[in-house]
């Protein structure tokens, strides 16, 4: 297995990345992009890092559907056709779709080739690119096929965010909120003071959120214990995301669904006497102020609950949650009654955003 390297915060001169590339000067390199990151990020990267000018470029469509076995077959074939070896380097330049897809291709090609992540979306910078979870979707299930395979390193360059649409910034910020709530009360205090969520204010916050994720995955890579706390907001959020994919003409983004999930799961944390009502109201108030509501039909409880039961994080036929013990401290493997889950969904449904 690769070793877990700390996140390198790369500044304008890309020093950390250039240093790593010295180890690959006599190796082949390939940059995996989607149509958007080719358009908005590749030129910037090559301008700063001309060492990569000779790298192959593999491009896939900028859509979640690119996380598929068919695209993997294509990428494995292209690696083979270009005589790539396991010591050559795959560079994932993109959001979480690219790091999940490219990470999985790297994990499986010749039983594991070297790869690095250069995340270009906020969600990928604070979450998806860190921790080695890689995978593709299969038979309508998200991330069903995958592995945990660590990148050699992750390089974060904030300037990429300047071309990221505002809604994608908000989506990524959902995971930043989660980081504060589960692990860092001070970070949450900073977050809740923000009047608007814009990239200008994000540099330090992104750094803190990355460090939280890195610390957690370092101590529990295989999600046996504390890594489960990263799932706060995700049990219900993922069900809402799945619902939205089937029922909304323009489905919500991952982090937007997680924001809704955090309203419900902080409600459950309050109702099970973990956090106070004021804490819950503060969390809810911030999310309501910054996010749009993702609506669902109250008659569709059963499909939402069914998705929660099928959650691959469940090991038995129960609803297993990560909740907040207090702000900045999360707990995991908490069984929650179906009635309380429904109550939290009704609560969300009745909020005026
Ligand atoms: N592995 C993990 O731990 C983990 C964690 C969370 C999410 N994920 C996965 O990550 C994916 C979601 O990540 P995402 O939100 O980054 O989605 P994404 O990769 O689809 O990126 C969102 C959109 O932004 C575009 N984009 C990316 N960077 C850009 C930039 N700098 N300028 C302009 N456009 C840019 C992309 O082309 C895409 O259209 C999902 O597949 C999810 O399952 C993985």
């Amino acid at each position: 297995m690769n070793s877990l390297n700390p996140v390198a915060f790369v500044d304008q001169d890309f020093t950390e990345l250039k240093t790593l590339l010295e180890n690959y000067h006599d190796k082949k390199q390939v940059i995996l992009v989607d149509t958007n990151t080719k358009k908005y990020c590749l030129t910037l990267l090559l301008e700063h890092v001309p060492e990569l000018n000779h790298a192959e470029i593999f491009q896939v469509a900028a859509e979640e559907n690119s996380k598929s076995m068919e695209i993997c077959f294509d990428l494995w074939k292209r690696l083979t056709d270009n005589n790539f070896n396991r010591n050559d380097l795959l560079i994932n330049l993109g959001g979480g779709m690219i790091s999940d897809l490219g990470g999985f291709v790297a994990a499986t090609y010749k039983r594991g080739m070297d790869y690095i992540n250069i995340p270009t979306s906020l969600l990928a910078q604070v979450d998806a690119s860190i921790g080695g979870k890689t995978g593709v979707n299969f038979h309508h299930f998200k991330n069903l096929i995958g592995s945990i395979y660590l990148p050699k390193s992750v390089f974060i360059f904030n300037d990429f965010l300047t071309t990221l649409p505002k809604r994608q910034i908000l989506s990524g910020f959902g995971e930043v909120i989660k980081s504060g709530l589960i692990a860092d009360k001070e970070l949450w205090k900073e977050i809740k003071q923000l009047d608007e969520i814009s990239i200008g204010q994000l540099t330090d916050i992104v750094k803190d959120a990355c460090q939280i994720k890195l610390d957690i995955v370092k101590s529990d890579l295989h999600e046996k214990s504390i890594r489960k706390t990263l799932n706060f907001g995700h049990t219900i959020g993922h069900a809402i995301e799945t619902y939205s994919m089937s029922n909304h003409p323009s489905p919500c983004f991952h982090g937007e669904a997680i924001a809704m999930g955090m309203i419900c799961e902080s409600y459950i944390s309050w109702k099970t006497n973990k956090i106070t009502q004021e804490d819950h109201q503060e969390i809810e108030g911030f999310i309501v102020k910054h996010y749009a509501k993702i609506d669902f039909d109250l008659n569709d409880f059963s499909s939402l609950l069914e998705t929660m039961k099928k959650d691959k994080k469940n090991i038995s036929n129960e609803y297993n949650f990560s909740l907040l013990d207090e702000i900045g401290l999360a707990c995991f493997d908490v069984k929650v009654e179906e009635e309380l889950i429904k109550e939290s969904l009704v609560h969300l449904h009745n909020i005026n955003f």
Side-chain angles (χ1 to χ4, degrees):
M1 174 170 307
N2 296 3
S3 62
L4 182 53
N5 295 318
V7 170
F9 288 95
V10 184
D11 53 16
Q12 292 295 342
D13 59 12
F14 281 76
T15 315
E16 303 279 356
L17 175 58
K18 287 178 178 193
T19 304
L20 177 128
L21 287 175
E22 284 168 14
N23 301 330
Y24 292 91
H25 73 276
D26 56 348
K27 303 278 189 293
K28 289 182 201 295
Q29 294 141 8
V30 54
I31 306 175
L32 179 65
V33 287
D34 68 28
T35 32
N36 289 330
T37 61
K38 181 172 185 205
K39 183 171 171 189
Y40 296 112
C41 308
L42 185 60
T43 311
L44 190 66
L45 177 68
L46 296 180
E47 267 170 19
H48 285 278
V49 192
E51 292 88 330
L52 289 173
N53 270 328
H54 299 294
E56 300 284 335
I57 308 295
F58 290 178
Q59 181 184 320
V60 298
E63 56 191 31
E64 181 65 18
N65 284 343
S66 292
K67 261 176 63 174
S68 69
M69 288 310 290
E70 290 71 22
I71 299 290
C72 287
F73 290 141
D74 181 52
L75 296 174
W76 287 320
K77 180 169 186 311
R78 288 162 78 176
L79 287 170
T80 312
D81 290 348
N82 284 282
N83 297 317
F84 270 82
N85 283 317
R86 53 188 315 197
N87 295 328
D88 294 326
L89 185 67
L90 171 65
I91 300 168
N92 292 320
L93 180 68
M97 184 278 285
I98 286 289
S99 52
D100 276 12
L101 171 69
F104 181 65
V105 166
T108 43
Y109 182 72
K110 298 196 175 178
R111 298 202 186 97
M113 71 178 284
D114 291 356
Y115 81 106
I116 58 172
N117 288 332
I118 306 181
T120 60
S121 73
L122 180 58
L123 191 120
Q125 291 191 349
V126 298
D127 190 10
S129 70
I130 303 169
K133 279 192 183 176
T134 73
V136 296
N137 305 325
F138 190 65
H139 271 288
H140 307 292
F141 291 104
K142 273 202 65 145
N143 305 327
L144 195 74
I145 310 293
S147 71
I148 293 185
Y149 183 70
L150 290 165
K152 284 284 172 193
S153 198
V154 180
F155 299 97
I156 294 171
F157 184 58
N158 288 302
D159 277 9
F160 284 132
L161 299 183
T162 53
T163 53
L164 193 67
K166 166 86 181 156
R167 225 184 117 194
Q168 294 287 357
I169 296 279
L170 263 182
S171 172
F173 202 77
E175 299 289 358
V176 176
I177 297 171
K178 180 200 74 182
S179 300
L181 291 176
I182 64 167
D184 188 344
K185 198 174 184 168
E186 293 307 311
L187 177 59
W188 168 244
K189 278 187 194 161
E190 263 182 75
I191 290 169
K192 73 183 184 189
Q193 280 161 6
L194 292 175
D195 276 333
E196 65 161 336
I197 296 164
S198 64
I199 52 161
Q201 296 152 313
L202 287 184
T203 313
D204 287 342
I205 289 179
V206 167
K207 202 169 171 174
D208 290 346
C210 290
Q211 197 57 50
I212 289 169
K213 171 112 194 222
L214 195 70
D215 289 344
I216 290 176
V217 297
K218 262 183 179 171
S219 63
D220 176 29
L221 183 64
H222 291 283
E223 202 167 306
K224 300 286 181 223
S225 57
I226 194 174
R227 188 165 184 173
K228 294 182 186 183
T229 61
L230 292 165
N231 296 325
F232 172 65
H234 283 60
T235 306
I236 293 180
H238 182 233
I240 291 173
E241 187 181 10
T242 306
Y243 177 91
S244 172
M245 285 196 285
S246 316
N247 293 282
H248 294 152
S250 165
C252 67
F253 295 162
H254 177 75
E256 296 173 326
I258 298 314
M260 301 302 115
M262 286 191 287
I263 291 182
C264 294
E265 296 183 21
S266 84
Y267 178 91
I268 294 172
S269 302
W270 162 42
K271 289 291 176 174
T272 50
N273 298 317
K274 295 178 183 304
I275 61 171
T276 63
Q277 183 174 13
E278 292 71 40
D279 287 339
H280 162 65
Q281 283 171 340
E282 200 174 75
I283 296 166
E284 180 175 306
F286 184 83
I287 294 173
V288 167
K289 180 173 167 190
H290 294 282
Y291 289 81
K293 187 173 190 172
I294 303 172
D295 227 341
F296 52 88
D297 191 329
L298 285 179
N299 295 318
D300 284 334
F301 273 140
S302 54
S303 82
L304 288 161
L305 292 169
E306 200 47 43
T307 311
M308 287 179 222
K309 270 219 171 117
K310 280 198 184 122
D311 193 314
K312 60 182 171 306
K313 293 180 274 296
N314 281 340
I315 36 177
S316 55
N317 207 22
E318 290 169 311
Y319 301 103
N320 212 358
F321 280 71
S322 297
L323 297 175
L324 298 179
D325 260 340
E326 57 188 72
I327 293 210
L329 186 67
C331 49
F332 52 89
D333 287 344
V334 185
K335 309 274 172 276
V336 177
E337 295 298 321
E338 195 166 294
E339 275 315 303
L340 184 53
I341 301 172
K342 282 186 185 172
E343 191 183 311
S344 76
L345 286 163
V346 172
H347 172 78
L348 173 64
H349 186 77
N350 291 337
I351 299 173
N352 286 320
F353 276 61

